Coordinates of all heavy atoms in Angstrom, one line a residue:
A9 N 12.5 -0.1 -1.1 CA 11.7 -1.2 -1.0 C 12.3 -2.1 0.1 O 11.4 -2.7 0.8 CB 11.6 -2.0 -2.4
L10 N 13.5 -2.3 0.1 CA 14.2 -3.2 1.1 C 14.0 -2.6 2.5 O 13.6 -3.4 3.4 CB 15.7 -3.3 0.9 CG 16.5 -4.1 1.8 CD1 15.9 -5.6 1.7 CD2 18.0 -4.2 1.5
G11 N 14.1 -1.4 2.6 CA 13.9 -0.8 4.1 C 12.4 -0.9 4.4 O 12.1 -1.1 5.7
S12 N 11.5 -0.7 3.6 CA 10.1 -1.0 3.9 C 9.8 -2.4 4.2 O 9.0 -2.7 5.2 CB 9.2 -0.5 2.8 OG 9.4 1.0 2.4
S13 N 10.4 -3.3 3.5 CA 10.2 -4.7 3.8 C 10.7 -5.1 5.1 O 10.1 -5.9 5.8 CB 10.8 -5.6 2.7 OG 10.2 -5.3 1.3
L14 N 12.0 -4.6 5.5 CA 12.5 -5.0 6.8 C 11.8 -4.4 7.9 O 11.7 -5.0 9.0 CB 14.0 -4.5 6.7 CG 14.9 -5.2 5.8 CD1 16.3 -4.6 5.9 CD2 15.0 -6.7 6.1
S15 N 11.3 -3.2 7.7 CA 10.5 -2.6 8.8 C 9.0 -3.0 8.9 O 8.4 -2.8 9.8 CB 10.5 -1.0 8.6 OG 9.7 -0.7 7.4
G16 N 8.6 -3.7 7.9 CA 7.2 -4.3 7.8 C 6.1 -3.2 7.6 O 5.0 -3.4 7.9
T17 N 6.5 -2.1 6.9 CA 5.5 -1.0 6.6 C 4.8 -1.1 5.4 O 3.9 -0.4 5.2 CB 6.2 0.4 6.8 OG1 7.2 0.4 5.9 CG2 6.7 0.5 8.2
G18 N 5.3 -1.9 4.5 CA 4.7 -2.0 3.2 C 5.0 -0.9 2.1 O 4.4 -1.0 1.1
G19 N 5.7 0.0 2.4 CA 6.2 1.0 1.4 C 5.9 2.4 1.8 O 6.9 3.2 1.7
P20 N 4.8 2.9 2.2 CA 4.7 4.3 2.4 C 5.5 5.0 3.5 O 5.8 6.1 3.3 CB 3.1 4.4 2.7 CG 2.5 3.2 2.3 CD 3.6 2.2 2.4
L21 N 5.8 4.3 4.5 CA 6.4 5.0 5.6 C 7.9 5.4 5.2 O 8.3 6.5 5.6 CB 6.6 4.2 6.8 CG 7.1 4.7 8.0 CD1 6.2 5.7 8.7 CD2 7.4 3.6 9.0
I22 N 8.5 4.7 4.4 CA 10.0 5.1 3.9 C 9.9 5.6 2.5 O 10.5 6.7 2.1 CB 10.8 3.9 4.0 CG1 11.0 3.4 5.5 CG2 12.1 4.1 3.3 CD1 11.8 2.3 5.7
L23 N 9.0 5.1 1.6 CA 9.0 5.4 0.3 C 8.4 6.8 0.0 O 9.0 7.6 -0.7 CB 8.2 4.5 -0.6 CG 8.0 4.7 -2.1 CD1 9.5 4.6 -2.8 CD2 7.0 3.9 -2.7
F24 N 7.4 7.2 0.7 CA 6.8 8.5 0.5 C 7.7 9.8 0.7 O 7.9 10.5 -0.1 CB 5.4 8.7 1.3 CG 4.2 8.0 0.5 CD1 4.3 7.0 -0.3 CD2 3.0 8.5 0.9 CE1 3.3 6.4 -0.9 CE2 1.9 7.9 0.3 CZ 2.1 6.8 -0.6
P25 N 8.2 9.7 2.0 CA 9.1 10.9 2.2 C 10.4 11.0 1.4 O 10.7 12.0 0.9 CB 9.5 10.6 3.7 CG 8.6 9.7 4.2 CD 8.1 8.8 3.2
L26 N 11.0 9.8 1.0 CA 12.2 9.9 0.2 C 11.8 10.3 -1.1 O 12.5 11.1 -1.8 CB 12.8 8.5 0.1 CG 13.6 8.1 1.4 CD1 14.2 6.8 1.2 CD2 14.6 9.0 1.7
W27 N 10.7 9.8 -1.7 CA 10.2 10.3 -3.1 C 9.9 11.7 -3.1 O 10.2 12.4 -4.0 CB 9.1 9.3 -3.5 CG 9.0 9.3 -5.1 CD1 9.1 10.4 -5.9 CD2 8.8 8.2 -5.9 NE1 9.0 10.0 -7.2 CE2 8.8 8.6 -7.2 CE3 8.7 6.9 -5.6 CZ2 8.8 7.7 -8.4 CZ3 8.6 6.0 -6.7 CH2 8.5 6.4 -8.0
L28 N 9.1 12.2 -2.0 CA 8.9 13.7 -2.1 C 10.1 14.6 -1.9 O 10.0 15.7 -2.4 CB 7.8 13.9 -0.9 CG 6.4 13.2 -1.2 CD1 5.5 13.4 0.1 CD2 5.7 14.0 -2.3
L29 N 11.0 14.1 -1.2 CA 12.3 14.8 -1.2 C 12.9 14.8 -2.6 O 13.5 16.0 -3.1 CB 13.3 14.2 -0.3 CG 13.1 14.6 1.3 CD1 14.0 13.7 2.1 CD2 13.3 16.0 1.6
W30 N 12.8 13.7 -3.3 CA 13.5 13.7 -4.7 C 12.7 14.4 -5.6 O 13.3 15.1 -6.6 CB 13.7 12.2 -5.0 CG 14.3 11.9 -6.3 CD1 15.4 12.3 -6.8 CD2 13.7 11.2 -7.4 NE1 15.8 12.1 -8.0 CE2 14.6 11.2 -8.5 CE3 12.5 10.5 -7.6 CZ2 14.3 10.6 -9.7 CZ3 12.2 9.9 -8.7 CH2 13.2 10.0 -9.8
D31 N 11.3 14.4 -5.6 CA 10.4 15.0 -6.6 C 9.2 15.5 -5.9 O 8.2 14.9 -5.9 CB 10.1 13.9 -7.8 CG 9.2 14.6 -8.7 OD1 9.1 15.8 -8.9 OD2 8.7 13.8 -9.5
P32 N 9.3 16.7 -5.4 CA 8.2 17.3 -4.7 C 6.9 17.5 -5.5 O 5.8 17.7 -5.0 CB 8.7 18.7 -4.1 CG 10.2 18.7 -4.4 CD 10.5 17.6 -5.3
Q33 N 7.0 17.6 -6.8 CA 5.9 17.9 -7.7 C 5.2 16.6 -8.1 O 4.3 16.8 -9.0 CB 6.4 18.7 -8.9 CG 6.9 19.9 -8.5 CD 6.1 20.8 -7.8 OE1 4.9 20.9 -8.1 NE2 6.6 21.6 -6.8
I34 N 5.4 15.5 -7.6 CA 4.8 14.2 -8.1 C 3.4 14.2 -7.6 O 3.1 14.5 -6.5 CB 5.5 13.0 -7.5 CG1 5.1 11.7 -8.2 CG2 5.6 12.8 -6.0 CD1 5.8 10.5 -7.9
P35 N 2.4 13.8 -8.5 CA 1.1 13.8 -8.1 C 0.9 12.6 -7.0 O 1.6 11.5 -7.3 CB 0.4 13.4 -9.4 CG 1.3 13.7 -10.5 CD 2.7 13.6 -9.9
M36 N 0.0 12.8 -6.2 CA -0.4 11.8 -5.1 C -0.8 10.5 -5.7 O -0.4 9.4 -5.1 CB -1.3 12.4 -4.1 CG -1.2 11.6 -2.8 SD 0.3 11.3 -2.0 CE 1.0 12.9 -1.7
K37 N -1.5 10.5 -6.8 CA -2.0 9.3 -7.3 C -0.9 8.4 -7.8 O -0.9 7.2 -7.6 CB -2.9 9.5 -8.6 CG -4.4 10.1 -8.3 CD -5.1 10.2 -9.5 CE -6.6 10.6 -9.3 NZ -7.3 10.7 -10.5
R38 N 0.1 9.1 -8.4 CA 1.2 8.3 -8.9 C 2.1 7.7 -7.7 O 2.5 6.6 -7.9 CB 2.1 9.2 -9.8 CG 3.2 8.3 -10.4 CD 3.9 9.1 -11.5 NE 3.1 9.5 -12.6 CZ 3.4 10.7 -13.2 NH1 4.4 11.4 -13.0 NH2 2.5 11.0 -14.2
L39 N 2.3 8.5 -6.7 CA 3.0 8.0 -5.5 C 2.2 6.7 -4.8 O 2.9 5.8 -4.6 CB 3.1 9.2 -4.5 CG 4.2 9.0 -3.5 CD1 5.5 8.6 -3.9 CD2 4.1 10.2 -2.6
V40 N 0.9 6.9 -4.7 CA 0.2 5.7 -4.2 C 0.3 4.6 -5.0 O 0.3 3.4 -4.7 CB -1.2 6.2 -3.8 CG1 -2.0 5.0 -3.4 CG2 -1.2 7.3 -2.7
G41 N 0.2 4.8 -6.4 CA 0.1 3.7 -7.4 C 1.6 3.0 -7.3 O 1.6 1.7 -7.5
F42 N 2.7 3.7 -7.0 CA 3.9 2.9 -7.0 C 4.1 2.2 -5.7 O 4.7 1.2 -5.5 CB 5.1 4.0 -7.0 CG 5.4 4.5 -8.4 CD1 5.4 5.8 -8.8 CD2 5.7 3.6 -9.4 CE1 5.8 6.2 -10.0 CE2 6.0 4.0 -10.6 CZ 6.1 5.4 -10.9
S43 N 3.4 2.6 -4.7 CA 3.5 1.9 -3.3 C 2.7 0.8 -3.2 O 3.0 -0.1 -2.4 CB 3.4 2.9 -2.1 OG 1.9 3.1 -2.1
S44 N 1.5 0.8 -3.9 CA 0.6 -0.4 -3.8 C 1.1 -1.7 -4.2 O 0.8 -2.6 -3.4 CB -0.7 -0.1 -4.6 OG -1.3 1.1 -4.2
P45 N 1.9 -1.9 -5.3 CA 2.5 -3.2 -5.5 C 3.4 -3.7 -4.2 O 3.3 -5.0 -4.0 CB 3.2 -3.0 -6.7 CG 2.6 -2.0 -7.4 CD 2.2 -1.0 -6.4
F46 N 4.1 -2.8 -3.7 CA 5.0 -3.3 -2.5 C 4.1 -3.9 -1.3 O 4.4 -4.9 -0.9 CB 5.8 -2.2 -2.0 CG 6.9 -1.7 -2.9 CD1 6.8 -0.3 -3.4 CD2 8.0 -2.6 -3.4 CE1 7.7 0.1 -4.3 CE2 8.8 -2.1 -4.1 CZ 8.7 -0.7 -4.7
A47 N 3.0 -3.1 -1.1 CA 2.1 -3.5 0.0 C 1.5 -4.8 -0.3 O 1.2 -5.8 0.5 CB 1.1 -2.4 0.3
A48 N 1.0 -4.8 -1.6 CA 0.2 -6.1 -2.0 C 1.2 -7.4 -2.0 O 0.7 -8.4 -1.6 CB -0.4 -5.9 -3.6
T49 N 2.4 -7.2 -2.4 CA 3.3 -8.3 -2.3 C 3.7 -8.7 -1.0 O 3.7 -9.9 -0.6 CB 4.7 -7.9 -3.1 OG1 4.4 -7.5 -4.5 CG2 5.6 -9.0 -3.0
M50 N 3.8 -7.8 0.0 CA 4.1 -8.1 1.3 C 3.0 -8.7 2.0 O 3.0 -9.8 2.7 CB 4.4 -6.8 2.2 CG 4.8 -7.1 3.6 SD 5.3 -5.7 4.4 CE 6.8 -5.2 3.6
V51 N 1.7 -8.4 1.8 CA 0.5 -9.0 2.3 C 0.3 -10.4 1.8 O 0.0 -11.3 2.4 CB -0.7 -8.1 2.0 CG1 -2.1 -8.9 2.3 CG2 -0.7 -6.9 2.8
T52 N 0.5 -10.5 0.5 CA 0.4 -11.9 -0.2 C 1.1 -13.0 0.4 O 1.0 -14.0 0.7 CB 0.4 -11.8 -1.6 OG1 -0.4 -10.9 -2.2 CG2 0.3 -13.1 -2.4
F53 N 2.6 -12.6 0.5 CA 3.5 -13.6 1.1 C 3.5 -13.7 2.5 O 3.7 -14.8 2.9 CB 5.0 -13.1 0.6 CG 5.2 -13.5 -0.9 CD1 5.1 -12.5 -1.8 CD2 5.5 -14.8 -1.3 CE1 5.4 -12.8 -3.3 CE2 5.8 -15.2 -2.6 CZ 5.7 -14.1 -3.6
S54 N 3.0 -12.7 3.2 CA 2.7 -12.9 4.5 C 1.6 -13.9 4.8 O 1.6 -14.8 5.8 CB 2.3 -11.6 5.3 OG 3.5 -10.8 5.3
A55 N 0.6 -13.8 4.0 CA -0.7 -14.7 4.1 C 0.0 -16.1 3.8 O -0.6 -17.0 4.5 CB -1.7 -14.3 3.2
F56 N 0.7 -16.3 2.7 CA 1.2 -17.6 2.4 C 2.0 -18.2 3.5 O 1.8 -19.5 3.8 CB 1.9 -17.6 1.1 CG 1.1 -17.5 -0.1 CD1 1.5 -16.7 -1.2 CD2 -0.1 -18.1 -0.3 CE1 0.8 -16.7 -2.3 CE2 -1.0 -18.0 -1.4 CZ -0.4 -17.2 -2.4
G57 N 2.7 -17.4 4.1 CA 3.7 -17.9 5.2 C 2.9 -18.3 6.4 O 3.1 -19.4 7.1
A58 N 1.8 -17.5 6.8 CA 1.0 -17.8 7.8 C 0.2 -19.0 7.7 O 0.1 -19.9 8.5 CB 0.1 -16.7 8.1
L59 N -0.3 -19.3 6.4 CA -1.0 -20.6 6.1 C -0.1 -21.7 6.1 O -0.5 -22.8 6.6 CB -1.8 -20.4 4.8 CG -3.0 -19.4 4.6 CD1 -3.4 -19.2 3.3 CD2 -4.0 -19.9 5.5
L60 N 1.1 -21.6 5.7 CA 2.0 -22.7 5.7 C 2.5 -23.0 7.0 O 2.9 -24.2 7.4 CB 3.0 -22.5 4.6 CG 2.7 -22.5 3.2 CD1 3.9 -22.1 2.3 CD2 2.3 -23.9 2.7
F61 N 3.0 -22.0 7.8 CA 3.8 -22.2 9.0 C 3.1 -21.9 10.2 O 3.7 -22.0 11.4 CB 5.1 -21.5 8.8 CG 5.9 -21.9 7.6 CD1 6.1 -21.0 6.6 CD2 6.5 -23.1 7.6 CE1 6.9 -21.4 5.5 CE2 7.2 -23.5 6.5 CZ 7.4 -22.6 5.4
G62 N 1.9 -21.4 10.3 CA 1.3 -20.9 11.5 C -0.1 -21.2 11.6 O -0.7 -21.9 10.7
E63 N -0.8 -20.7 12.5 CA -2.1 -20.8 12.7 C -2.9 -19.5 12.4 O -2.5 -18.5 12.9 CB -2.6 -21.3 14.2 CG -2.0 -22.6 14.6 CD -2.5 -22.9 16.0 OE1 -3.4 -22.3 16.5 OE2 -1.8 -23.8 16.6
V64 N -3.9 -19.7 11.5 CA -4.6 -18.4 11.0 C -6.1 -18.4 11.6 O -6.8 -19.5 11.5 CB -4.5 -18.4 9.4 CG1 -5.3 -17.2 8.9 CG2 -3.2 -18.4 9.0
D65 N -6.4 -17.3 12.1 CA -7.8 -17.1 12.5 C -8.6 -16.6 11.4 O -8.5 -15.5 10.9 CB -7.9 -16.0 13.7 CG -9.3 -15.8 14.2 OD1 -10.3 -16.4 13.5 OD2 -9.4 -15.2 15.2
L66 N -9.2 -17.6 10.6 CA -9.8 -17.3 9.3 C -11.1 -16.3 9.4 O -11.2 -15.5 8.5 CB -10.2 -18.5 8.6 CG -9.2 -19.4 8.1 CD1 -9.6 -20.7 7.5 CD2 -8.3 -18.7 7.1
G67 N -11.7 -16.3 10.6 CA -12.8 -15.4 10.8 C -12.2 -13.8 10.9 O -12.8 -13.0 10.2
L68 N -11.2 -13.7 11.6 CA -10.5 -12.4 11.8 C -10.0 -11.9 10.4 O -10.1 -10.8 10.0 CB -9.5 -12.5 12.9 CG -8.8 -11.1 13.0 CD1 -9.7 -10.1 13.6 CD2 -7.6 -11.4 14.1
A69 N -9.3 -13.0 9.7 CA -8.8 -12.6 8.5 C -9.8 -12.3 7.4 O -9.5 -11.2 6.6 CB -8.1 -13.8 8.0
M70 N -11.0 -12.8 7.4 CA -12.1 -12.5 6.5 C -12.6 -11.1 6.9 O -13.0 -10.3 6.0 CB -13.1 -13.6 6.5 CG -12.7 -14.8 5.7 SD -14.0 -15.9 5.5 CE -14.6 -16.5 7.0
C71 N -12.8 -10.8 8.2 CA -13.3 -9.5 8.5 C -12.3 -8.5 8.1 O -12.7 -7.4 7.6 CB -13.4 -9.6 10.2 SG -13.9 -8.1 10.8
C72 N -11.0 -8.6 8.4 CA -10.0 -7.7 7.9 C -10.0 -7.5 6.4 O -9.9 -6.4 5.9 CB -8.6 -8.0 8.4 SG -8.4 -7.9 10.3
T73 N -10.2 -8.5 5.7 CA -10.2 -8.5 4.2 C -11.5 -7.7 3.7 O -11.3 -6.9 2.8 CB -10.4 -10.0 3.7 OG1 -9.2 -10.8 4.1 CG2 -10.4 -9.9 2.2
A74 N -12.6 -7.9 4.3 CA -13.7 -7.2 4.0 C -13.6 -5.7 4.2 O -13.9 -4.8 3.4 CB -15.1 -7.7 4.7
I75 N -13.1 -5.4 5.4 CA -12.9 -3.9 5.7 C -11.9 -3.4 4.9 O -12.0 -2.2 4.4 CB -12.6 -3.8 7.4 CG1 -13.7 -4.2 8.1 CG2 -12.0 -2.5 7.6 CD1 -13.4 -4.4 9.6
G76 N -10.7 -4.0 4.7 CA -9.8 -3.5 3.8 C -10.2 -3.3 2.4 O -9.9 -2.3 1.7
T77 N -11.0 -4.3 1.8 CA -11.5 -4.2 0.4 C -12.4 -3.0 0.3 O -12.3 -2.2 -0.7 CB -12.2 -5.5 0.0 OG1 -11.2 -6.5 0.2 CG2 -12.5 -5.4 -1.3
G78 N -13.3 -2.9 1.3 CA -14.3 -1.8 1.3 C -13.6 -0.4 1.4 O -14.0 0.4 0.5
F79 N -12.7 -0.3 2.2 CA -11.9 1.1 2.3 C -11.1 1.3 1.2 O -11.0 2.5 0.6 CB -11.3 1.2 3.6 CG -12.3 1.6 4.7 CD1 -12.6 0.7 5.7 CD2 -12.7 3.0 4.8 CE1 -13.4 1.1 6.7 CE2 -13.5 3.3 5.8 CZ -13.9 2.4 6.7
N80 N -10.6 0.3 0.6 CA -9.7 0.4 -0.7 C -10.5 0.9 -1.8 O -10.1 1.8 -2.5 CB -9.1 -0.9 -1.0 CG -7.8 -0.7 -1.8 OD1 -7.5 0.4 -2.2 ND2 -7.1 -1.8 -2.1
L81 N -11.8 0.3 -1.9 CA -12.7 0.8 -3.0 C -13.2 2.2 -2.8 O -13.3 3.0 -3.7 CB -13.8 -0.2 -3.2 CG -13.5 -1.5 -3.6 CD1 -14.7 -2.5 -3.7 CD2 -13.2 -1.5 -5.0
L82 N -13.5 2.5 -1.5 CA -13.9 3.8 -1.2 C -12.8 4.8 -1.5 O -13.1 6.0 -1.9 CB -14.3 3.9 0.2 CG -14.7 5.3 1.0 CD1 -16.0 5.8 0.1 CD2 -14.9 5.2 2.3
G83 N -11.6 4.5 -1.1 CA -10.5 5.4 -1.4 C -10.3 5.6 -3.0 O -10.1 6.8 -3.4
G84 N -10.6 4.6 -3.7 CA -10.5 4.8 -5.2 C -11.5 5.8 -5.8 O -11.3 6.6 -6.7
V85 N -12.8 5.7 -5.2 CA -13.9 6.4 -5.6 C -13.6 7.9 -5.2 O -13.7 8.8 -6.0 CB -15.3 6.0 -4.9 CG1 -16.2 7.1 -5.1 CG2 -15.6 4.8 -5.6
M86 N -13.0 8.1 -4.0 CA -12.7 9.4 -3.4 C -11.7 10.1 -4.3 O -11.7 11.3 -4.6 CB -12.3 9.5 -2.1 CG -13.5 9.2 -1.1 SD -13.1 8.9 0.7 CE -12.5 10.6 1.0
M87 N -10.5 9.1 -4.7 CA -9.6 9.8 -5.5 C -9.9 10.2 -6.9 O -9.5 11.1 -7.3 CB -8.4 8.7 -5.7 CG -7.2 9.2 -6.2 SD -5.8 8.0 -6.2 CE -5.4 7.9 -4.6
E88 N -10.9 9.5 -7.4 CA -11.5 10.0 -8.7 C -12.2 11.2 -8.6 O -12.2 12.0 -9.5 CB -12.3 8.8 -9.4 CG -11.5 7.7 -9.9 CD -10.5 8.1 -10.9 OE1 -10.9 8.8 -11.9 OE2 -9.4 7.5 -11.0
K89 N -13.0 11.3 -7.6 CA -13.8 12.6 -7.4 C -12.9 13.8 -7.1 O -13.2 14.9 -7.5 CB -14.7 12.4 -6.3 CG -15.9 11.5 -6.5 CD -16.9 11.4 -5.4 CE -18.1 10.7 -5.9 NZ -19.1 10.6 -4.9
M90 N -11.7 13.6 -6.3 CA -11.0 14.8 -6.1 C -10.0 15.1 -7.2 O -9.6 16.3 -7.4 CB -9.9 14.3 -4.9 CG -10.8 14.2 -3.6 SD -9.8 13.8 -2.1 CE -8.2 13.3 -2.6
G91 N -9.8 14.3 -8.2 CA -8.9 14.6 -9.2 C -7.4 14.7 -8.9 O -7.1 14.3 -7.8
D92 N -6.7 15.3 -9.7 CA -5.2 15.6 -9.4 C -5.0 16.9 -8.7 O -5.5 17.9 -9.1 CB -4.5 15.7 -10.7 CG -4.3 14.3 -11.3 OD1 -4.3 13.3 -10.7 OD2 -4.0 14.3 -12.6
S93 N -4.5 16.7 -7.5 CA -4.2 17.8 -6.6 C -2.7 18.3 -6.7 O -1.8 17.4 -6.7 CB -4.6 17.5 -5.3 OG -4.0 16.6 -4.7
Q94 N -2.6 19.4 -6.9 CA -1.1 20.1 -6.9 C -1.0 21.1 -5.8 O -1.8 21.9 -5.5 CB -0.9 20.6 -8.2 CG -0.7 19.5 -9.4 CD 0.5 18.6 -9.2 OE1 1.4 18.9 -8.5 NE2 0.4 17.4 -9.8

């Protein structure tokens, strides 16, 4: 988690390869489930920091939020349809 936070990647870039080396049989749903809290925490505190100490383009932020939320929901639907892949 520390390496992902320092690199600004939110978890998957460092967490996924290391975890797959440690446990190659882990279901992808579980792996994504473990990385999501890291990403959510990083986004939340980045938003608070930007609001407190910087200038935020709220139009761009709302557009990114809508797109991110839509694709997040689409990914959840697709994951349920695909089931557990091994």
Side-chain angles (χ1 to χ4, degrees):
L10 178 63
S12 296
S13 297
L14 292 176
S15 67
T17 57
L21 186 66
I22 295 173
L23 179 67
F24 279 24
L26 289 177
W27 203 313
L28 287 170
L29 282 172
W30 180 56
D31 182 13
Q33 300 301 321
I34 188 168
M36 194 54 60
K37 281 184 180 181
R38 186 173 300 153
L39 192 56
V40 171
F42 280 125
S43 71
S44 295
F46 293 117
T49 302
M50 184 175 294
V51 167
T52 302
F53 283 100
S54 295
F56 285 143
L59 288 171
L60 289 174
F61 302 110
E63 293 183 22
V64 178
D65 183 350
L66 292 178
L68 179 62
M70 287 192 293
C71 181
C72 290
T73 299
I75 292 170
T77 301
F79 278 104
N80 206 353
L81 293 172
L82 178 64
V85 169
M86 291 175 65
M87 191 177 284
E88 286 299 318
K89 285 185 178 183
M90 291 182 346
D92 287 332
S93 60
Q94 291 289 345

